[in-house]
Amino acid sequence: MNKELVINATPDGVVLALLQDKQLIELHQEKTNNSFSVGDIYLGRIKKIMPGLNAAFVDVGYEKDAFLHYLDLGSQVQTLLKYTKRVRTAPKNEKISISDFPLEVDINKSGKITEILGKNLLIPVQIAKEPISSKGPRLSAEISLAGRYVVLVPFSDVISVSKKIKSAGERNRLKKIIESVKPKHFGVIIRTVSENKGVAELHNDLKELVERWNTVSNKIVSTEPGKKILGEIDKTSTVLRDMLNASFNNVHINDATIFEEVKTYIHQIAPEQDKIVKHYRGKEPMFDHFGIDRQIKNLFGKTVNLPGGAYLIIEHTEALHVIDVNSGNRNTAEVNQEENALQVNMEAAKEIARQLRLRDMGGIIVIDFIDMHKASNKKVLFDHLKDLMNEDRAKHTILPPSKFGLVQVTRQRVRPEMNIVTVEKCPSCGGSGEIRASIVLLDEIESNLNFILNEQNERGISLTVHPFIEAYLKKGFISQRFKWFMKYKKWIKIKGLSGHHYLEFHFYNSKEEEIVL
């Protein structure tokens, strides 16, 4: 299996595309102003207690108050509150260690929030779900810090091991290692990637997380209510931390600064793999070079075509997502109807599992597969979908096909769904359906070209246009480009970019800087 990560830096932020055998399976966007991301820790102030909801609304600096439910307080919230108060009121030269701080009795799981929190109380909280639609962030007071191999949970002494590590001997070995190196009053969750790792790797990861907690503890003193205490590491590092394994072949990056940062980070977490990081220096846009832009346009529309001629219709509502499987032009002769239905459904299941990850669809998803009559075929489809979803890192539950052939999926949603508009309002006609004549476009290009070459005296000019226009300008021996060469005595480089609309064009100088006219 060939896995590649393509990191495209833009003025607005960073876009990460995860490819598996050249197919796009995940797409992440990290904006420059990346506030209220999952994992960020804030010093919240309780604004309102809602006994009916057994929850509180908390001010963390977002335009809408964040939501904190009683079940998300964590069993040691009383200790967290006392620790916060003690740290903020202690003399400057006094250092309060969590290992020496006494733990309170766990709160009652069926208790009331009014027994724990009060208005204007300060409490460190962590973003558990980013703001989505009209809702503010969802919070947790059970703070955890994720590393490559372990997750650190302050105010706890529990050590737990990922259920995906099946070997009882390996589970016991990992537990003993962590017990021997972890500080007092720190709980640890041992992640799946820890399997077969040595003491040094686990200890170093744990030490880094303890240092991060010390940073949190120190910043609690000076942080203003409603402000961020500590941000989660950037999205690029998060993806690499959670997904990097031996199956990764390449990480391509178009920005020199991010290239150095990622190479350093990979050298820290997996020194044997730092050679996979490559700096992309190609002249064409990186997403065009790897065919990612084309895949995005094909995969994010309402209709998604499948290789065998079938297609999916994907609809989104506020309450749920609906995916309808259609056989399209597949042969549906009566004798093969059941077999065709199974083949189409199996093919659709593969694409649906990919779409859920790609769009990061969450909540309730209802899939209307093509009707099948045999119970054995329904089971084959159900097992196939479960196997495909095993690689999905988001928590999910899949129910067997219902009497009507519907499969219901619930998938964890902690971030807004990835939504990319693939249909475009015509920038030339504004939706009227009429555009200026193509021959006028050539006059406009030449007019600008004449100004750039004769008035601005630029050299090494390149022109980017839609591929159809590129083909026209280069057509024949005595092409339009050749005519320009004879007229201006300068050769014009012409590049066709599929991202351009039909009548779009741009000029660039020899330094690849756009010439703004």
Side-chain angles (χ1 to χ4, degrees), residues 8 14-17 24-31 287 292-304 314 316 355 357-361 416-425:
N8 184 30
V14 178
V15 183
L16 295 89
L24 181 65
I25 57 170
E26 286 191 27
L27 192 68
H28 302 273
Q29 290 180 332
E30 181 186 352
K31 294 186 178 179
F287 271 21
I292 295 170
D293 272 336
R294 181 181 296 275
Q295 290 193 56
I296 289 173
K297 294 295 184 183
N298 285 331
L299 294 171
F300 277 88
K302 177 180 175 181
T303 302
V304 178
I314 303 177
H316 307 277
Q355 286 288 330
R357 291 176 66 186
L358 189 59
R359 303 189 189 209
D360 203 9
M361 293 164 63
E417 180 190 339
M418 180 71 68
N419 184 26
I420 296 176
V421 178
T422 58
V423 291
E424 303 169 355
K425 184 177 180 180

Side-chain angles (χ1 to χ4, degrees), residues 50 53-56 67-75 77-78 106-117 138-139 141:
M50 304 294 289
L53 298 174
N54 205 19
F67 184 79
L68 176 62
H69 194 271
Y70 181 87
L71 296 176
D72 296 320
L73 290 177
S75 58
V77 64
Q78 299 276 36
D106 289 357
I107 63 171
N108 185 354
K109 291 183 179 180
S110 58
K112 302 295 182 185
I113 200 162
T114 50
E115 301 167 357
I116 308 296
L117 302 179
R138 179 152 185 166
L139 307 175

Side-chain angles (χ1 to χ4, degrees), residues 249-316:
N249 298 87
N250 294 297
V251 178
H252 301 279
I253 306 165
N254 67 342
D255 181 86
T257 304
I258 298 177
F259 167 75
E260 293 297 336
E261 290 174 356
V262 170
K263 190 159 188 176
T264 302
Y265 179 74
I266 290 186
H267 185 74
Q268 290 173 349
I269 65 172
E272 71 283 359
Q273 288 186 272
D274 60 359
K275 293 180 181 178
I276 67 174
V277 186
K278 297 176 181 176
H279 188 193
Y280 177 77
R281 293 185 173 90
K283 291 186 177 180
E284 64 178 325
M286 187 164 63
F287 271 21
D288 274 359
H289 176 76
F290 288 99
I292 295 170
D293 272 336
R294 181 181 296 275
Q295 290 193 56
I296 289 173
K297 294 295 184 183
N298 285 331
L299 294 171
F300 277 88
K302 177 180 175 181
T303 302
V304 178
N305 294 313
L306 303 178
Y311 61 95
L312 307 177
I313 301 291
I314 303 177
E315 297 274 9
H316 307 277

